[in-house]
Structures are given as C-alpha cells and as structure tokens.
Amino acid sequence: MRIRHLSSQLANQIAAGEVVERPASIVKELLENSLDAGAGRIEVEVEQGGSALIRVRDDGCGIHRDDLVLALDRHATSKLETVDDLAAIRTLGFRGEALPSIASVARLTLSSRQADDAHAWRIDADAAGSGEPVPAAHPPGTVVEVRDLFFNIPARRKFLRAERTEFAYLEETFRRIALSRFDVAFRLSHNRRVIYDLPALADSAAGIERIAALCGETIAEYGLALERDAGGLSLRGWIGTPASARSQADTQYFFVNGRVVRDKVVSHALRLAYQDVLHHGRHPAYVLYLDIPPAEVDVNVHPGKHEVRFRESRLVHDFLARTVKAALAHSAPEAPAVRPGFAPSPGAPDRPGGGGAPSRDSSYPAWQPRMQQSMPLRAAEAAAALYARTPLVDPVDGRQAFAGEAPAPQSADDELPLGRAVAQLHGVYILAENRHGLIIVDMHAAHERIVYERLKLGREGEGIRVQPLLVPVTLRLSVAEAELVEDSRELLAALGLEVERLGVDGAVVRAVPALLCEADAERLVRDVIADIRTWGDSDRVRERIDETLATMACHGAVRANRRLTLAEMDGLLRDMERTERSGQCNHGRPTWTQLDMKALDTLFMRGK
Ligand code: ADP
Ligand code: MG
C-alpha cells in the first residue's frame, strides 16, 4: 500500500480515541472550556448516563461568529500562540482537539453569543463536517450539546457500560472540576433530576461547604485545614484526620494550578505523611490545592492532561510530605477553643467553625502550616480547632522539660484540655472531667503513642537511652534468626537494644530502652527480629525503623486491666497534651474523645 494522508474525519476519530473515552471525558473537556471562557455559572444536563445527551451551558465570554467553524477545526485554539506560551500555560485547554474530536464521534451543536452581539449563532457538526452558523436565541455565553455518542462507531459504542456506571464516572468528573473552582456556580442534572446545585462561594475558605456537598461529611466534619507557602509553592486545603480514614482511596483530590491530577510524586508524599498515623489498609481523605509557577510544571504529558511532570519533583515531594505531616502532628488535643479574654494574634487565619484561637507558642517554627480544624470534631467540639505546641518532651530521660518560652501547663483545672481524671473503667478507659464535660481516653492506645513518639525523639536526637538488664535474658532462636541478630547488631543498638548472638542458635539480651524497662524483654526482642526479617535488607529496615519502634512501643504501653491511680491517670493525660499526634494511636485509631455537656444533655433529653 502506498502512503497517503488520512482524511480529516479519520484523523479526528483517531485523536478522539485519546480524548473521548466515555461520556465523562466529554464533560471534562466541555467544563474546562467553560472555565477557560471565564464562566461564573455552568450547568450540565445529562441524559442516559451521557450517551444520549450532554448539554453544557455557561455564561462565559462566548465565541465570535466567524470563529465558530474554526472552533471545530483540529488544532485550532484561542489559548496558545507560541511555544513560550506553552511553558506558562494558565488555561486548562490548549491543544485545540476537544471539540473536533467530540464532533467526529457524536452529533454536536455549538451555540454561542458574545456580550455585545445582538443574538447568538449556532452551528451543527458531525463527522462529515459542519454547516454554516445560523442565528439562534441564547443569552451571552455558550451552550454545547452532544448527542448520540459513538452513533457512528459501533465498535466503541459497545464499550460503553450501563447507564448507571457511565453516570458514576461522569459524576466523579463533575465533582473534581466543581472542587477546583469554588468561585464558580455549578449544577448537574441527570434525566431531568437535579443532582448537585452548588452556589458560587465568595471565599475559598467556605469551600468546606462544597466539599461537604460533593464528598460527604468525611473531610468536612473531621478535617484539618492547612495552609502553607514556601519558596514559591503554596499548598492549601483540607486533610482528613487519621481516625476518619477510609477503606477506599475514593476521597483524594489533588489540584495543581487548578487542574486535578493523579501523580505518583504527590501520592507518595501523602502516603509518607500519613504513614505512621494510619491504620493498615486505610486511606486518608484529602482535598488539596498546590499552586506552583507554571514554568515549574509540565502539563502537556498526556492528551487527557490528568498527569503532570514537576521540574523539581524532589522539592515538591518534600514540601507536600512535610506540610501534611506537620498538620497531622499538630492534631494533638489542645486547650478549649473559646477562651475568654484571649485575643487572636495578628495573622491568624479566620476560618469558619474554628473559634480561631491561634498558637500561644512563639517558638512555633515558621515553616509549619497555619492550620486549625476546619470544623470541630463532632465528639470533641470543645477541644477542637487549635494549633498545638511543639513537643515538650525531653528525649533524654523521658521526663517532661519545658523549653524556652513554651507555656507551662496551667494549674487551673479549666486550662487542662483533657481535664482531670476521675475514674478508670474496666481497666481500659480513663474517664476525665474538663470544663466542657466528659473525656474518655483509651489508656493503652494513648500510652502506646506517647512511648512511640518518645522513642522516635530519642532516636532522632541523642539516641535512645538504654537500661542494662539486671539479669540478661537468653533466647533460643532459629539459626537464621541468630545470624540475623549477628548481622543487625548496629541496627539493634540504634533501637536501644543490646543483643548478642549466643552460640549457633541463641542470643542474649543485655539492655533495652529505658522507656521499655518494664516490658517483657524476650517478647520485645522476638518481635523486633520478626520485623527486621519482614523488612529484609538493612536499607529497607532503616526506612521502616519507625514501624519497628511502633512495634516496640506496644510493649512499653500500659496493658489493659492495669489499675492506675488518679495521679498516674492525670500524668498520662498531661503527657498526651504534650505529645504530637497523640490524638491517634500508632495504628491510626483515636485515643480519646469528648462528650461535652451539650451531648450529655441531649442523651438525657435535658432542656427539651
Ligand atoms: P482548546 O480548549 O484546547 O483550545 P477546544 O477544541 O476544546 O480546544 O476548543 C476550541 C476553541 O473553542 C477554544 O480555544 C475556545 O476558543 C473555543 N471554545 C470552546 N468552548 C468554549 C466556551 N464554552 N466558551 C468560549 N469559547 C469556547
Ligand atoms: Mg478545550
């Protein structure tokens, strides 16, 4: 066969293979065009999951009559002129492929009116081409109608799934785009039923309302708001607390310069940030917005543009991981939000639902996000919404020491966020009273977190303090395990364990971390060896060292059924207040909750 040019119809249909996979991809392209046109309100009407009809109407700038035919031409765009523009692209589209691709696989009608036109113009198109614009009635803006998707390509029509499935994809696309621009009103209806009607929000801080409407309550109710700018990068948005993590990764939205992306660098950074507060197999929820100079990111990686490439991916990765990690670290319990006579310091963000008391700690590192819980925790309304202090634990001897300007705990009981212990319940829970009501603490989970954080601090600082055992403990091991002990002596020492191989199949434990001196040394060391075996080579172990510390912390934590005195319980509460991440145990479960007086009154129908 000789070489010849593809007909433009066939070329468009081939290009459509990349751009138009299903109804959802059409909605994506049309919504992006409307946003690029500066629309303030966009309405999407869909029938039969989008395969029968998709209609997108906007009040944007419209298209000049003489450009209507051009808009349907391949590689015709108003958004780009030179290759330099591409490096600084601010619009969502720029490839000039969407409308011609859609027209080649469906019946398309485009009506548009610019602000100073007397009336609108309409043009009809399909794979065979388009007609001439004819006058039409339409307010300023644009409406695109796409009917009978793949009517001319039966092979592709066959790949469309059930109406419900296609609509689910489409809805997800709509959701992402509606999350990308709080200042634009969006509406979606399916088979004449309104699914979402989202007003424009004046202030992006109010975005939490839209998130609640689109994603349910997970983030909206239990989320932490974060905000941080550094080195030209800016990250803001909301992250779910570890306790509200989900069994599926279905509430994870990440936007780069307003464009939703799925990116390996991003998801790795987020996983890293959550790694030690998340229950195994759970997925955090987040809606995050990264702004980055356009020249630092390449959006032209994929025709559907859902991938990006960062020029300095390491930098972006670390910025994300550190910011989110810090936000999570500061979700420790804090003083009550509303404290009379306490004026917020200048520069404190003003967010809904927070109560807005800023950090009292002047030594708060500058790079940490200004964050607060966007809305009170349902069960912990009273203690919600605050910034936490930097940890005040002296890593050397495990006792608390107060650094510099950091505030000493107030002696007045009503200044203690977790209150005073009043009782222990079945050897499992501590009940405490603060001025808002009742606090319930899972004592093992809470203590485990405290021990873990101290072990980490010790390791990162001057080393974990060890305590020699009065009577060394000998273990029988397998030969492989004994060899592992021999090969891992350095690593074991870094973990605060002095263990030596003994003979062919034994080992002797001579010292353990002081924090764990009451633990069963044999079981402790066996667990650590098991961890090291699981992680494999020592590089991996170093990566996983925190997980091993978490394993160890479990041995040091108070066991259920141990009776504590009130003083011991109070000590634990104070430790929790001072410890980062103490809101979750090492497995991501919550360690405490609050039932305030209002909640208690509701339980007893008081005042009704
Ligand atoms: P691209 O968005 O990559 O430029 P498209 O094929 O999606 O390519 O659109 C072609 C052109 O049609 C756009 O560059 C824009 O000028 C115009 N256009 C498309 N949709 C709209 C709209 N809703 N409002 C105004 N102009 C539009
Ligand atoms: Mg476009």
Side-chain angles (χ1 to χ4, degrees):
M1 207 160 101
R2 305 283 304 275
I3 300 173
R4 68 193 104 132
H5 278 285
L6 296 174
S7 71
S8 73
Q9 175 175 347
L10 189 51
N12 281 335
Q13 285 174 332
I14 290 170
E18 291 177 313
V19 183
V20 187
E21 195 188 338
R22 54 178 11 127
S25 15
I26 294 180
V27 166
K28 172 180 184 287
E29 295 295 337
L30 298 184
L31 285 177
E32 289 189 348
N33 280 346
S34 295
L35 289 176
D36 283 345
R41 176 170 183 84
I42 308 176
E43 290 173 14
V44 185
E45 289 164 81
V46 172
E47 274 166 36
Q48 292 173 33
S51 57
L53 170 73
I54 295 170
R55 182 187 290 125
V56 175
R57 188 190 303 278
D58 69 52
D59 60 357
C61 65
I63 305 172
H64 192 275
R65 180 208 173 276
D66 300 342
D67 285 352
L68 280 174
V69 177
L70 216 50
L72 298 172
D73 252 3
R74 190 130 169 268
H75 302 153
T77 178
S78 58
K79 302 172 191 175
L80 199 63
E81 236 175 319
T82 69
V83 69
D84 295 337
D85 297 343
L86 189 57
I89 198 82
R90 279 280 178 197
T91 52
L92 296 164
F94 53 79
R95 298 170 62 111
E97 283 178 331
L99 293 183
S101 298
I102 297 168
S104 73
V105 295
R107 297 182 222 275
L108 184 142
T109 302
L110 174 62
S111 313
S112 199
R113 175 173 163 190
Q114 294 197 303
D116 41 11
D117 287 345
H119 58 79
W121 294 92
R122 195 186 90 203
I123 187 169
D124 294 307
D126 61 23
S130 58
E132 275 296 302
V134 294
H138 190 264
T142 302
V143 57
V144 183
E145 277 180 15
V146 180
R147 289 179 191 276
D148 305 327
L149 179 59
F150 298 142
F151 76 97
N152 52 355
I153 312 185
R156 298 201 60 193
R157 194 170 177 90
K158 273 211 310 249
F159 278 98
L160 288 180
R161 311 275 296 277
E163 173 174 336
R164 202 156 30 97
T165 313
E166 290 301 339
F167 185 71
Y169 281 112
L170 190 153
E171 193 182 341
E172 180 58 23
T173 299
F174 174 88
R175 198 176 286 133
R176 288 180 191 163
I177 292 177
L179 285 173
S180 77
R181 288 285 301 272
F182 295 132
D183 58 328
V184 176
F186 288 89
R187 191 179 149 107
L188 172 67
S189 55
H190 187 210
N191 297 335
R192 309 251 156 86
R193 221 184 88 222
V194 177
I195 310 289
Y196 295 112
D197 194 357
L198 309 165
L201 300 169
D203 179 355
S204 71
I208 198 75
E209 292 166 28
R210 183 171 289 185
I211 292 174
L214 288 166
C215 308
E217 304 290 293
T218 315
I219 294 193
E221 254 189 274
Y222 301 107
L224 308 164
L226 66 79
E227 189 174 348
R228 185 185 160 211
D229 300 273
L233 302 178
S234 146
L235 183 71
R236 55 206 73 230
W238 292 265
I239 57 176
T241 57
S244 66
R246 304 167 62 78
S247 58
Q248 283 177 5
D250 59 352
T251 311
Q252 301 186 336
Y253 297 96
F254 197 91
F255 299 85
V256 177
N257 294 346
R259 193 189 299 277
V260 72
V261 297
R262 291 223 158 255
D263 180 81
K264 282 204 207 81
V265 172
V266 170
S267 48
H268 185 268
L270 267 293
R271 236 181 301 129
L272 193 71
Y274 273 91
Q275 86 177 2
D276 91 347
V277 288
L278 213 57
H279 203 51
H280 182 71
R282 307 289 287 178
H283 302 273
Y286 51 82
V287 181
L288 288 170
Y289 303 85
L290 176 70
D291 276 312
I292 178 169
E296 292 294 310
V297 57
D298 184 0
V299 292
N300 191 24
V301 180
H302 185 277
K305 303 187 222 73
H306 24 62
E307 283 171 33
V308 292
R309 207 174 283 138
F310 295 110
R311 254 179 46 171
E312 306 262 7
S313 62
R314 188 78 234 161
L315 202 100
V316 173
H317 177 275
D318 293 352
F319 172 75
L320 297 178
R322 281 223 282 172
T323 304
V324 173
K325 206 169 171 163
L328 289 168
H330 292 270
S331 64
E334 247 290 357
V338 195
R339 253 173 301 137
F342 186 74
S345 70
D350 194 16
R351 289 268 177 67
S359 171
R360 289 163 294 166
D361 186 354
S362 54
S363 66
Y364 201 67
W367 58 265
Q368 283 176 348
R370 287 174 288 153
M371 72 125 230
Q372 66 187 68
Q373 283 163 334
S374 55
M375 275 187 192
L377 288 171
R378 179 189 275 154
E381 265 165 302
L386 274 196
Y387 308 73
R389 301 170 286 231
T390 36
L392 303 173
V393 178
D394 178 349
V396 181
D397 63 2
R399 278 188 295 115
Q400 281 72 50
F402 298 100
E405 293 295 299
Q410 306 289 321
S411 52
D413 282 7
D414 65 1
E415 288 293 337
L416 298 172
L418 294 177
R420 291 255 170 239
V422 289
Q424 194 181 8
L425 196 66
H426 288 280
V428 177
Y429 296 108
I430 293 171
L431 307 184
E433 175 186 8
N434 69 1
R435 71 188 185 102
H436 297 274
L438 176 69
I439 298 270
I440 308 171
V441 175
D442 177 334
M443 68 182 205
H444 175 75
H447 194 214
E448 192 175 317
R449 167 60 73 177
I450 291 166
V451 174
Y452 174 42
E453 291 296 329
R454 285 189 193 161
L455 286 171
K456 277 200 295 184
L457 279 175
R459 192 181 61 77
E460 285 157 15
E462 301 168 28
I464 296 171
R465 200 168 76 108
V466 301
Q467 177 152 325
L469 295 176
L470 278 177
V471 185
V473 175
T474 49
L475 314 179
R476 282 290 297 277
L477 300 169
S478 70
V479 178
E481 284 171 330
E483 270 164 12
L484 195 74
V485 167
E486 191 170 334
D487 295 343
S488 317
R489 278 191 59 179
E490 218 178 295
L491 181 76
L492 290 164
L495 293 167
L497 290 165
E498 222 174 87
V499 189
E500 254 172 66
R501 183 174 184 174
L502 197 69
V504 193
D505 59 355
V508 57
V509 188
R510 299 193 191 283
V512 297
L515 279 165
L516 308 180
C517 63
E518 285 180 34
D520 176 336
E522 168 163 0
R523 286 180 47 196
L524 172 67
V525 170
R526 282 192 190 282
D527 276 0
V528 170
I529 293 174
D531 265 8
I532 297 178
R533 282 186 76 165
T534 325
W535 310 144
D537 62 86
S538 54
D539 270 356
R540 285 281 308 276
V541 176
R542 239 159 274 283
E543 256 174 50
R544 303 293 192 134
I545 200 157
D546 282 352
E547 288 176 50
T548 303
L549 290 177
T551 307
M552 293 166 62
C554 189
H555 289 271
V558 281
R559 292 274 140 207
N561 290 323
R562 193 169 124 207
R563 284 276 147 208
L564 300 181
T565 64
L566 283 181
E568 283 175 317
M569 290 188 248
D570 275 333
L572 182 65
L573 296 176
R574 303 293 81 78
D575 281 351
M576 285 175 71
E577 287 159 3
R578 294 183 190 104
T579 303
E580 293 194 337
R581 290 174 276 263
S582 67
Q584 291 81 38
C585 79
N586 303 344
H587 314 290
R589 291 187 296 266
T591 55
W592 66 281
T593 190
Q594 165 132 37
L595 280 176
D596 63 9
M597 294 309 283
K598 216 174 106 205
L600 290 168
D601 288 348
T602 312
L603 269 179
F604 294 98
M605 301 199 268
R606 241 171 185 270
K608 290 245 159 119

